[in-house]
Amino acid sequence: MNKDGKFETTPEYPRWAWFEALVNACVHRSYSFSGTDVTVKLFPNRMEIESPGGFVPPVNENNLYLTRAARNHHFMDAMRYLGYVQMAQEGTRRIKESMENYSLPDPVFKQEALHGVVVRVTLFNDHLTRKRASDRDVAVYFGVEVWRMLQEHEIALAAHAYRNRVIHVSDASRLTGRTWATSKKDLDRLVRKGVLEFISGNYTRDSKSHYRLTEKANG
């Protein structure tokens, strides 16, 4: 719901927030940490972008909106030439401002020791609103009796199938954060409950195999 009290469709995260966080992770990471990568992790309520290496002094999590320091000067110059950065201390502020414009929480910057030192930027989405929408969608479409017998993670899977008409095991794993094997069991359980039906492929983990809404649910 926007400031005018009207509903509008928006991305889950503002583009400038995740784009700037990803660019910052690339240009400020420590390339002396061999065998490590910038990682992006998606969860139901947040996105995490991790960059190898700690904050570049004098920058820290308390002054990063006001203080500038570069670890990879030549890389920064190249990215500025290509138009990805301006080298004007605007990147972190743009992340914060774009999140505020979407009425989302401020980004969280944290340095942690995780198999070496990393800087993690966490962007939170409006998970509670999306959770209420999922509950409503499943209750209306599948019926209250079906909704009542589903666990919270099963409602999320059923809501995904409702919106997309199909769901794969990889989709379920991404939505719930559970393993592939556990997600397969979750979807099979929804088959037994009459919410989904399984369309098999030619072999285990065949990309063509998927789950779809049952004819009963569609009807």
Side-chain angles (χ1 to χ4, degrees), residues 146 148-151 154 186-196 214 216:
V146 172
R148 285 176 175 171
M149 73 178 182
L150 299 179
Q151 301 179 50
E154 292 176 327
D186 290 338
L187 294 176
D188 288 338
R189 190 178 303 111
L190 288 175
V191 171
R192 293 195 294 272
K193 290 182 178 182
V195 174
L196 303 176
T214 62
K216 179 180 179 181

Side-chain angles (χ1 to χ4, degrees), residues 6-166:
K6 298 180 180 180
F7 286 103
E8 61 181 12
T9 300
T10 63
E12 187 170 358
Y13 303 94
R15 180 183 185 277
W16 282 119
W18 62 259
F19 181 79
E20 288 287 349
L22 185 58
V23 169
N24 281 355
C26 292
V27 300
H28 292 303
R29 64 155 293 174
S30 174
Y31 286 92
S32 63
F33 288 14
S34 60
T36 59
D37 299 296
V38 170
T39 60
V40 179
K41 301 177 182 179
L42 297 175
F43 301 90
N45 68 328
R46 68 193 188 280
M47 173 191 294
E48 296 179 355
I49 299 178
E50 295 176 355
S51 177
F55 288 113
V56 182
V59 176
N60 58 55
E61 60 192 55
N62 298 316
N63 66 10
L64 55 87
Y65 293 117
L66 302 173
T67 307
R68 174 179 174 272
R71 175 181 278 119
N72 307 297
H73 298 281
H74 296 305
F75 192 7
M76 286 285 288
D77 286 337
M79 294 292 275
R80 180 174 61 83
Y81 179 79
L82 294 172
Y84 288 106
V85 300
Q86 296 181 24
M87 297 177 66
Q89 304 179 26
E90 90 293 345
T92 53
R93 290 199 298 269
R94 184 179 293 180
I95 297 172
K96 184 175 185 295
E97 290 169 359
S98 61
M99 293 291 282
E100 289 176 349
N101 291 337
Y102 266 54
S103 299
L104 295 175
D106 287 347
V108 177
F109 296 83
K110 197 78 173 177
Q111 177 176 309
E112 295 188 359
L114 184 67
H115 307 299
V117 180
V118 301
V119 171
R120 178 186 299 118
V121 182
T122 303
L123 307 176
F124 292 95
N125 60 41
D126 196 0
H127 177 62
L128 293 179
T129 297
R130 294 193 303 117
K131 172 64 168 61
R132 290 193 294 271
S134 295
D135 284 353
R136 183 176 62 251
D137 291 341
V138 174
V140 170
Y141 190 80
F142 293 97
V144 175
E145 292 304 316
V146 172
W147 173 79
R148 285 176 175 171
M149 73 178 182
L150 299 179
Q151 301 179 50
E152 182 175 341
H153 69 279
E154 292 176 327
I155 290 175
L157 300 180
H160 181 91
Y162 164 77
R163 296 189 182 98
N164 299 278
R165 292 299 185 252
V166 300

Side-chain angles (χ1 to χ4, degrees), residues 193-205:
K193 290 182 178 182
V195 174
L196 303 176
E197 62 177 319
F198 178 60
I199 309 301
S200 63
N202 297 323
Y203 50 87
T204 304
R205 298 201 183 193

